mmCIF file of all heavy atoms in Angstrom:
data_model
loop_
_atom_site.group_PDB
_atom_site.id
_atom_site.type_symbol
_atom_site.label_atom_id
_atom_site.label_comp_id
_atom_site.label_asym_id
_atom_site.label_seq_id
_atom_site.Cartn_x
_atom_site.Cartn_y
_atom_site.Cartn_z
ATOM 1 N N LYS A 592 71.712 75.286 66.792
ATOM 2 C CA LYS A 592 71.860 75.093 65.385
ATOM 3 C C LYS A 592 73.187 75.763 64.878
ATOM 4 O O LYS A 592 73.937 75.168 64.142
ATOM 5 C CB LYS A 592 70.662 75.742 64.628
ATOM 6 C CG LYS A 592 70.605 75.380 63.151
ATOM 7 C CD LYS A 592 69.334 75.767 62.514
ATOM 8 C CE LYS A 592 69.318 75.394 61.024
ATOM 9 N NZ LYS A 592 68.054 75.731 60.397
ATOM 10 N N TYR A 595 76.137 73.607 65.727
ATOM 11 C CA TYR A 595 76.323 72.449 64.918
ATOM 12 C C TYR A 595 76.738 72.842 63.491
ATOM 13 O O TYR A 595 77.722 72.315 62.954
ATOM 14 C CB TYR A 595 75.009 71.603 64.820
ATOM 15 C CG TYR A 595 75.147 70.300 64.107
ATOM 16 C CD1 TYR A 595 75.359 69.142 64.821
ATOM 17 C CD2 TYR A 595 75.070 70.258 62.685
ATOM 18 C CE1 TYR A 595 75.452 67.907 64.193
ATOM 19 C CE2 TYR A 595 75.201 69.031 62.004
ATOM 20 C CZ TYR A 595 75.396 67.849 62.800
ATOM 21 O OH TYR A 595 75.536 66.649 62.130
ATOM 22 N N GLN A 596 76.028 73.806 62.968
ATOM 23 C CA GLN A 596 76.279 74.185 61.528
ATOM 24 C C GLN A 596 77.505 74.981 61.323
ATOM 25 O O GLN A 596 78.217 74.749 60.387
ATOM 26 C CB GLN A 596 75.037 74.909 61.008
ATOM 27 C CG GLN A 596 73.750 74.107 60.977
ATOM 28 C CD GLN A 596 73.841 72.875 60.136
ATOM 29 O OE1 GLN A 596 74.610 72.831 59.195
ATOM 30 N NE2 GLN A 596 72.992 71.881 60.438
ATOM 31 N N LEU A 637 74.097 64.373 70.494
ATOM 32 C CA LEU A 637 73.229 65.435 70.027
ATOM 33 C C LEU A 637 71.748 65.175 70.371
ATOM 34 O O LEU A 637 71.006 65.964 70.845
ATOM 35 C CB LEU A 637 73.340 65.734 68.501
ATOM 36 C CG LEU A 637 72.403 66.777 67.946
ATOM 37 C CD1 LEU A 637 72.608 68.114 68.516
ATOM 38 C CD2 LEU A 637 72.516 66.825 66.381
ATOM 39 N N GLU A 661 62.607 65.893 66.261
ATOM 40 C CA GLU A 661 62.371 67.090 65.364
ATOM 41 C C GLU A 661 63.473 68.152 65.582
ATOM 42 O O GLU A 661 64.068 68.639 64.620
ATOM 43 C CB GLU A 661 61.040 67.763 65.736
ATOM 44 C CG GLU A 661 59.881 66.977 65.251
ATOM 45 C CD GLU A 661 58.503 67.425 65.868
ATOM 46 O OE1 GLU A 661 58.547 68.190 66.871
ATOM 47 O OE2 GLU A 661 57.472 67.011 65.342
ATOM 48 N N LEU A 662 63.823 68.320 66.862
ATOM 49 C CA LEU A 662 64.903 69.180 67.168
ATOM 50 C C LEU A 662 66.234 68.736 66.595
ATOM 51 O O LEU A 662 67.026 69.456 66.046
ATOM 52 C CB LEU A 662 64.996 69.362 68.700
ATOM 53 C CG LEU A 662 66.015 70.384 69.234
ATOM 54 C CD1 LEU A 662 65.888 71.817 68.636
ATOM 55 C CD2 LEU A 662 65.963 70.486 70.782
ATOM 56 N N PHE A 663 66.435 67.409 66.695
ATOM 57 C CA PHE A 663 67.653 66.802 66.152
ATOM 58 C C PHE A 663 67.739 67.095 64.646
ATOM 59 O O PHE A 663 68.789 67.479 64.175
ATOM 60 C CB PHE A 663 67.617 65.275 66.388
ATOM 61 C CG PHE A 663 68.737 64.469 65.791
ATOM 62 C CD1 PHE A 663 69.870 64.236 66.549
ATOM 63 C CD2 PHE A 663 68.717 64.043 64.501
ATOM 64 C CE1 PHE A 663 70.935 63.483 66.000
ATOM 65 C CE2 PHE A 663 69.753 63.346 63.915
ATOM 66 C CZ PHE A 663 70.893 63.061 64.702
ATOM 67 N N ASN A 664 66.658 66.903 63.961
ATOM 68 C CA ASN A 664 66.682 67.069 62.535
ATOM 69 C C ASN A 664 66.827 68.595 62.224
ATOM 70 O O ASN A 664 67.495 68.961 61.236
ATOM 71 C CB ASN A 664 65.393 66.575 61.894
ATOM 72 C CG ASN A 664 65.518 65.094 61.626
ATOM 73 O OD1 ASN A 664 66.612 64.534 61.518
ATOM 74 N ND2 ASN A 664 64.439 64.334 61.570
ATOM 75 N N TYR A 665 66.244 69.433 63.100
ATOM 76 C CA TYR A 665 66.293 70.873 62.852
ATOM 77 C C TYR A 665 67.791 71.387 63.030
ATOM 78 O O TYR A 665 68.330 72.084 62.187
ATOM 79 C CB TYR A 665 65.384 71.606 63.883
ATOM 80 C CG TYR A 665 65.697 73.096 63.995
ATOM 81 C CD1 TYR A 665 65.183 73.966 63.049
ATOM 82 C CD2 TYR A 665 66.375 73.601 65.076
ATOM 83 C CE1 TYR A 665 65.435 75.365 63.161
ATOM 84 C CE2 TYR A 665 66.686 74.951 65.229
ATOM 85 C CZ TYR A 665 66.211 75.837 64.279
ATOM 86 O OH TYR A 665 66.438 77.226 64.344
ATOM 87 N N VAL A 666 68.409 70.870 64.069
ATOM 88 C CA VAL A 666 69.847 71.232 64.353
ATOM 89 C C VAL A 666 70.796 70.634 63.301
ATOM 90 O O VAL A 666 71.629 71.344 62.756
ATOM 91 C CB VAL A 666 70.227 70.815 65.783
ATOM 92 C CG1 VAL A 666 71.702 70.997 65.965
ATOM 93 C CG2 VAL A 666 69.474 71.660 66.834
ATOM 94 N N SER A 667 70.612 69.381 63.044
ATOM 95 C CA SER A 667 71.620 68.657 62.189
ATOM 96 C C SER A 667 71.282 68.793 60.722
ATOM 97 O O SER A 667 72.186 68.524 59.910
ATOM 98 C CB SER A 667 71.745 67.223 62.596
ATOM 99 O OG SER A 667 70.529 66.589 62.239
ATOM 100 N N GLN A 668 70.022 69.032 60.440
ATOM 101 C CA GLN A 668 69.572 69.097 59.032
ATOM 102 C C GLN A 668 69.774 67.729 58.334
ATOM 103 O O GLN A 668 70.021 67.676 57.155
ATOM 104 C CB GLN A 668 70.255 70.171 58.221
ATOM 105 C CG GLN A 668 70.169 71.585 58.819
ATOM 106 C CD GLN A 668 68.861 72.222 58.431
ATOM 107 O OE1 GLN A 668 68.596 72.462 57.232
ATOM 108 N NE2 GLN A 668 67.993 72.500 59.394
ATOM 109 N N LEU A 669 69.846 66.675 59.167
ATOM 110 C CA LEU A 669 70.074 65.369 58.536
ATOM 111 C C LEU A 669 68.808 64.723 58.035
ATOM 112 O O LEU A 669 68.808 63.833 57.179
ATOM 113 C CB LEU A 669 70.730 64.374 59.591
ATOM 114 C CG LEU A 669 72.207 64.587 59.861
ATOM 115 C CD1 LEU A 669 72.712 63.737 60.994
ATOM 116 C CD2 LEU A 669 73.039 64.343 58.566
ATOM 117 N N ASN A 670 67.731 65.225 58.585
ATOM 118 C CA ASN A 670 66.371 64.776 58.151
ATOM 119 C C ASN A 670 66.241 63.249 58.140
ATOM 120 O O ASN A 670 65.805 62.671 57.134
ATOM 121 C CB ASN A 670 66.002 65.314 56.802
ATOM 122 C CG ASN A 670 65.856 66.825 56.920
ATOM 123 O OD1 ASN A 670 65.343 67.363 57.884
ATOM 124 N ND2 ASN A 670 66.356 67.556 55.896
ATOM 125 N N LEU A 671 66.618 62.692 59.276
ATOM 126 C CA LEU A 671 66.391 61.227 59.408
ATOM 127 C C LEU A 671 64.895 61.031 59.546
ATOM 128 O O LEU A 671 64.164 61.863 60.082
ATOM 129 C CB LEU A 671 67.093 60.709 60.643
ATOM 130 C CG LEU A 671 68.613 60.801 60.680
ATOM 131 C CD1 LEU A 671 69.126 60.141 61.935
ATOM 132 C CD2 LEU A 671 69.273 60.148 59.462
ATOM 133 N N TYR A 686 72.776 55.015 61.700
ATOM 134 C CA TYR A 686 73.381 56.021 60.769
ATOM 135 C C TYR A 686 74.861 56.137 61.055
ATOM 136 O O TYR A 686 75.705 56.242 60.174
ATOM 137 C CB TYR A 686 72.671 57.379 60.977
ATOM 138 C CG TYR A 686 73.135 58.448 60.026
ATOM 139 C CD1 TYR A 686 72.656 58.497 58.691
ATOM 140 C CD2 TYR A 686 74.112 59.357 60.461
ATOM 141 C CE1 TYR A 686 73.131 59.500 57.862
ATOM 142 C CE2 TYR A 686 74.584 60.332 59.574
ATOM 143 C CZ TYR A 686 74.080 60.408 58.299
ATOM 144 O OH TYR A 686 74.557 61.345 57.436
#
Side-chain angles (χ1 to χ4, degrees):
K592 192 169 178 180
Y595 188 97
Q596 298 297 335
L637 175 63
E661 290 166 345
L662 184 52
F663 177 93
N664 278 336
Y665 166 78
V666 169
S667 68
Q668 303 278 299
L669 282 173
N670 296 321
L671 296 183
Y686 185 82

